Amino acid sequence: MNDSDSTPRIGQIVLINKGRDAGQFAIIINAADEKFVLIADGDRRKFDRPKKKNIQHLTLYDYVSSEVRDSLTEAGRVTNGKLRWALTNFVEEILDVVEKGDGFDGERRCN
């Protein structure tokens, strides 16, 4: 991620590009500092044991799960089920766009 104008946001969907989980989607649940975020997917990476990830190793999508964001801001936590639900909805939305031929080619990504 080289764009200075695209900063990670709580509840934002990311694609992991480097490491053991490369190719999988996750959600940003906290910002550790300016270079690192904490991500979880509710399945392999639970909310209670998030992965600290360098933002340069992630593709940030221009999609924020309002349910996850609201839960984190109101209660300070989110259920693993809600994380899984938000990721499933995001993936289904992308697949629907691709199948309909609306031209989703990753241009909604921030970087």
Side-chain angles (χ1 to χ4, degrees):
M1 185 179 120
N2 302 10
D3 299 342
S4 58
D5 62 334
S6 53
T7 57
R9 296 167 288 173
I10 303 298
Q12 188 170 14
I13 306 288
V14 298
L15 176 64
I16 302 168
N17 296 325
K18 303 270 186 181
R20 179 183 304 216
D21 298 327
Q24 296 183 15
F25 291 102
I27 299 178
I28 297 174
I29 59 170
N30 202 353
D33 56 35
E34 65 277 349
K35 282 184 67 177
F36 291 93
V37 293
L38 298 177
I39 60 172
D41 63 8
D43 185 25
R44 297 175 78 192
R45 275 287 166 195
K46 307 284 190 195
F47 173 80
D48 294 333
R49 294 185 51 93
K51 175 72 177 167
K52 184 177 180 182
K53 203 73 172 154
N54 186 328
I55 57 174
Q56 293 181 340
H57 297 169
L58 302 171
T59 298
L60 302 176
Y61 283 88
D62 190 20
Y63 182 97
V64 175
S65 169
S66 58
E67 294 85 0
V68 172
R69 183 193 62 219
D70 294 346
S71 183
L72 284 167
T73 55
E74 292 169 10
R77 62 177 292 115
V78 63
T79 64
N80 291 312
K82 192 173 282 190
L83 289 171
R84 289 189 303 270
W85 178 84
L87 286 171
T88 301
N89 279 356
F90 173 73
V91 171
E92 287 176 356
E93 180 178 306
I94 286 181
L95 292 178
D96 277 353
V97 169
V98 170
E99 288 171 2
K100 289 178 185 171
D102 289 344
F104 180 83
D105 57 1
E107 291 301 314
R108 291 187 196 170
R109 288 184 275 175
C110 291
N111 57 342

